[in-house]
């Protein structure tokens, strides 16, 4: 049975540079799996290749930011709104989402759910606070 192909640092560095730090492209160039790329980059002995990978990713971000600013300079409304909602959110430029029940009424729990909450020593306000906390945590993970 043939063993797994071992890649030299030179091979890996060339693939990282050619791919601009896109893992799927590195895997294609080296004819290996995505997981092989991830595992290679995570090895301490390959910290220099990981640093190159990260620098390539930063170049991509710089390119995206440059293109974004060009769109803003051209007056692209979607780009302007995106920038306001992300970069300027500390100035109040955010979308506000309100979750309500039917026809804007307060969210009401069914009798069986209210009984469960009561048995757990929880109030609807406790559940709302935990729900908001979960949504914020999810936003931090995805943001």
């Amino acid at each position: 049975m043939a063993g797994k192909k071992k890649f030299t640092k030179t091979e890996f560095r060339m693939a990282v540079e050619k791919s601009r730090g896109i893992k799927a492209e590195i895997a294609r160039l080296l004819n290996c799996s995505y997981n092989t790329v991830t595992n290679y980059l995570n090895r301490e002995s390959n910290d220099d290749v990981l640093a190159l990978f990260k620098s390539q990713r930063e170049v991509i971000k710089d390119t995206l930011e440059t293109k974004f600013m060009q769109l803003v300079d051209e007056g692209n409304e979607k780009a302007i709104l995106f920038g306001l909602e992300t970069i300027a959110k500390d100035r109040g430029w955010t979308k506000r989402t309100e979750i309500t029940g039917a026809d804007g009424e307060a969210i009401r729990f069914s009798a069986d759910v209210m009984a469960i909450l009561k048995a757990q020593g929880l109030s609807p306000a406790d559940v709302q606070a935990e729900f908001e906390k979960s949504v914020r945590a999810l936003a931090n993970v995805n943001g």
Side-chain angles (χ1 to χ4, degrees):
M1 182 193 310
K4 292 184 178 181
K5 167 125 171 64
K6 301 279 184 185
F7 300 101
T8 66
K9 283 194 178 193
T10 301
E11 289 173 314
F12 229 91
R13 290 179 71 82
M14 289 175 60
V16 168
E17 288 174 353
K18 189 169 184 180
S19 71
R20 299 189 328 171
I22 298 172
K23 286 184 182 180
E25 182 64 7
I26 295 168
R28 188 189 70 74
L29 291 168
L30 295 173
N31 195 27
C32 66
S33 73
Y34 187 93
N35 285 340
T36 297
V37 173
T38 300
N39 292 337
Y40 187 95
L41 293 171
N42 287 334
R43 284 190 207 115
E44 278 187 39
S45 60
N46 298 324
D47 283 348
D48 57 325
V49 180
L50 178 60
L52 174 64
F53 172 81
K54 288 180 178 181
S55 73
Q56 290 294 312
R57 300 298 294 172
E58 290 301 314
V59 170
I60 290 173
K61 292 177 195 177
D62 290 344
T63 302
L64 293 170
E65 287 180 333
T66 299
K67 297 288 186 185
F68 168 69
M69 289 310 302
Q70 288 171 349
L71 290 171
V72 169
D73 290 344
E74 293 168 5
N76 183 296
E77 188 175 310
K78 286 184 180 181
I80 292 167
L81 289 172
F82 177 79
L84 288 170
E85 291 171 0
T86 56
I87 299 168
K89 66 183 174 185
D90 62 325
R91 295 183 178 181
W93 289 95
T94 60
K95 288 185 179 179
R96 179 179 163 163
T97 303
E98 293 186 18
I99 301 172
T100 64
D103 300 319
E105 296 290 322
I107 295 176
R108 301 189 197 292
F109 295 105
S110 60
D112 62 322
V113 169
M114 287 298 291
I116 293 168
L117 292 176
K118 186 175 182 181
Q120 297 294 321
L122 298 170
S123 71
D126 295 331
V127 173
Q128 178 182 349
E130 283 301 312
F131 175 75
E132 289 177 2
K133 182 178 168 185
S134 296
V135 170
R136 287 185 186 102
L138 181 61
N140 286 334
V141 167
N142 293 328

